[in-house]
Amino acid sequence: MAAAVPDTHMAARLVDWYEQNRRELPWRQTRDPYAIWVSETMLQQTRVETVIPYYHAFLAAFPTVRALAAAAEDEVLKRWQGLGYYSRARNLHRAAKQVVERHHGVIPDDEASFGQLPGVGPYTCGAVLSIAFGKPIPAVDGNVLRVMTRYLSLSDPIEQPAVKARVASAVKAWLDAADPNRLTQGLMELGATVCVPKSPRCTACPLQPGCAGSAAGIAEELPVRLPRRARKQVDVLALWIAHHGYVAVEQRPREGLLAGMWQLPAVEVERGPKALSDADKTALLRDKLAVLQPAMAAAGDVDFACIAQAKHVFTHIDWHVEVYRPLGDSWPQLDLSRCVPVQALKDLAWPRVYDRLIAELAQPLAVFDTGVVK
DNA sequence: AATCCGGGGCC
DNA sequence: GGCCCAGGATT
């Protein structure tokens, strides 16, 4: 099937449009592959405006791939705090170590080597190789998928590998006909500013002359996506144990949700048909306290008061968080190995919901510090 | 092919 | 409340 408009023509139109309309984003001021790699990783499923401050702070803290490789994982996570998808930070850190160990600290410019690094998938590989190294490797992200399913008028769900393959192949033809750096960024810029999800500005689009979706009048209906499942409902019962200026904390497991992040000691329970009763909650909190602070639990059956609540929505989970304070005014011992001074809370990497709760609770600390106020 | 993995802005 | 965002890893 021959293209209605030659690839060289459309590629040139797109690159010209990009030169005239590009936004001056921080990562467009450099060709440093490390900086571009950092930006592409942060931009995964994350908006440009959200990324900008993180990008500057991260590069200031870790200016080179060697600096990143030499950092502690906790420092890297702390710089990523609030950005979400924390595996990106852990993988980027691991990948930096591999670049130092296996590639002498030089970021590889070939698809096989770079694409093998942890956290580098097809998109990021194509983006870094085309933008930083000028190689004709397609970078198919959400923007490109939208632009090209419209341009080619593809109505099959974009989750299907065949659709992504068809799009990648079309992009490859354009890459071979133009400067890969500007073509890749032009495609994404077009998706971000003109070929937007709702009310696309087709009259301002350089690809309009060849756009099958626009010609068929179905551009706005594309791309087609599969429906999503409902989110799981999870109750989170957290403990606020503050004593003489120390607060009990715990680190989440190295894998799974919010891997490696810090939180108030908590139990997580998936919601069944019935809501948790107060007695259920007390029992769960007592069990947690027994593991966490045996000396406190051994002093007798403890009761709890709810001092804060929050709802937090993840992509696939709704968290219903309640923070409880153990009642009582004199504890025999507090295991300080599981606590940090209040002033040190800010140095740990917290998920958003806990960061907000702590800001709320640590402020009037004296009120809840069992060692200070009766 | 489906699910897991954050967080925020917009409608 | 649902949708989308410069996706990747795992099963």
Side-chain angles (χ1 to χ4, degrees):
Chain A
M1 177 161 57
V5 184
D7 292 328
T8 48
H9 185 235
M10 294 315 292
R13 285 181 63 90
L14 181 55
V15 167
D16 288 346
W17 173 88
Y18 175 66
E19 283 300 326
Q20 299 296 322
N21 296 278
R22 56 179 272 182
R23 294 168 293 174
E24 289 308 316
L25 302 176
W27 41 91
R28 287 182 179 163
Q29 321 282 12
T30 179
R31 286 296 280 257
D32 175 9
Y34 168 68
I36 290 169
W37 179 19
V38 168
S39 78
E40 292 301 344
T41 305
M42 288 185 167
L43 285 162
Q44 290 168 14
Q45 296 292 288
T46 310
R47 297 174 189 283
V48 165
E49 314 83 69
T50 304
V51 165
I52 289 175
Y54 283 90
Y55 172 81
H56 289 303
F58 196 91
L59 284 183
F62 316 114
T64 64
V65 67
R66 288 186 183 280
L68 179 57
E73 186 178 284
D74 285 346
E75 296 178 57
V76 181
L77 271 182
K78 184 64 191 175
R79 295 289 171 186
W80 213 272
Q81 173 181 313
L83 202 50
Y85 285 150
Y86 300 98
S87 295
R88 293 183 294 175
R90 301 147 109 354
N91 283 334
L92 185 61
H93 186 219
R94 276 204 299 149
K97 288 174 181 279
Q98 291 185 16
V99 168
V100 169
E101 287 167 11
R102 304 179 191 176
H103 305 284
H104 312 288
V106 178
I107 294 171
D109 67 350
D110 64 288
E111 198 174 358
S113 301
F114 186 71
Q116 196 173 348
L117 295 169
V120 179
Y123 164 74
T124 305
C125 185
V128 172
L129 290 193
S130 63
I131 296 171
F133 297 118
K135 307 248 176 171
I137 314 293
V140 179
D141 72 333
N143 286 311
V144 177
L145 229 28
R146 183 171 55 254
V147 171
M148 297 307 287
T149 53
R150 286 172 174 175
Y151 185 81
L152 300 169
S153 194
L154 304 177
S155 311
D156 290 326
I158 54 175
E159 286 80 4
Q160 292 184 5
V163 173
K164 294 183 183 178
R166 175 77 184 86
V167 167
S169 132
V171 171
K172 177 69 167 84
W174 286 359
L175 282 166
D176 289 330
D179 167 32
N181 174 307
R182 290 178 292 175
L183 188 104
T184 294
Q185 299 200 70
L187 222 33
M188 294 193 286
E189 189 75 349
L190 190 69
T193 62
V194 172
C195 195
V196 290
K198 291 180 179 175
S199 305
R201 303 164 43 220
C202 296
T203 56
C205 181
L207 303 184
Q208 220 269 343
C211 183
S214 173
I218 59 170
E220 190 163 1
E221 323 306 323
L222 300 174
V224 173
R225 289 177 195 272
L226 262 29
R228 330 190 160 186
R229 286 196 351 171
R231 286 188 297 273
K232 199 192 307 183
Q233 305 299 309
V234 174
D235 284 307
V236 179
L237 309 179
L239 280 167
W240 179 258
I241 303 171
H243 195 62
H244 292 307
Y246 282 80
V247 179
V249 299
E250 69 182 7
Q251 191 169 20
R252 297 181 61 87
R254 313 304 288 182
E255 305 205 335
L257 184 67
L258 301 166
M261 304 289 282
W262 290 83
Q263 64 181 15
L264 298 177
V267 292
E268 294 163 19
V269 189
E270 183 172 354
R271 263 193 196 168
K274 289 184 183 177
L276 250 36
S277 69
D278 287 347
D280 293 336
K281 294 177 181 176
T282 300
L284 287 164
L285 289 167
R286 283 179 180 168
D287 287 348
K288 182 71 182 182
L289 190 63
V291 174
L292 198 71
Q293 296 285 343
M296 284 179 71
D301 279 346
V302 182
D303 284 310
F304 304 89
C306 184
I307 57 172
Q309 290 186 320
K311 183 183 177 186
H312 189 73
V313 179
F314 298 100
T315 308
H316 59 300
I317 304 172
D318 282 349
W319 257 13
H320 305 269
V321 185
E322 294 178 338
V323 184
Y324 288 88
R325 175 176 70 91
L327 295 173
D329 56 7
S330 64
W331 306 109
Q333 295 278 330
L334 196 64
D335 180 0
L336 290 181
S337 68
R338 298 168 181 279
C339 300
V340 297
V342 187
Q343 299 87 339
L345 290 175
K346 63 175 175 14
D347 299 324
L348 301 176
W350 300 91
R352 202 55 126 187
V353 62
Y354 280 105
D355 195 42
R356 295 206 169 109
L357 286 167
I358 281 164
E360 177 184 337
L361 295 172
Q363 194 62 24
L365 178 66
V367 176
F368 297 122
D369 190 321
T370 56
V372 175
V373 174
K374 307 288 188 200

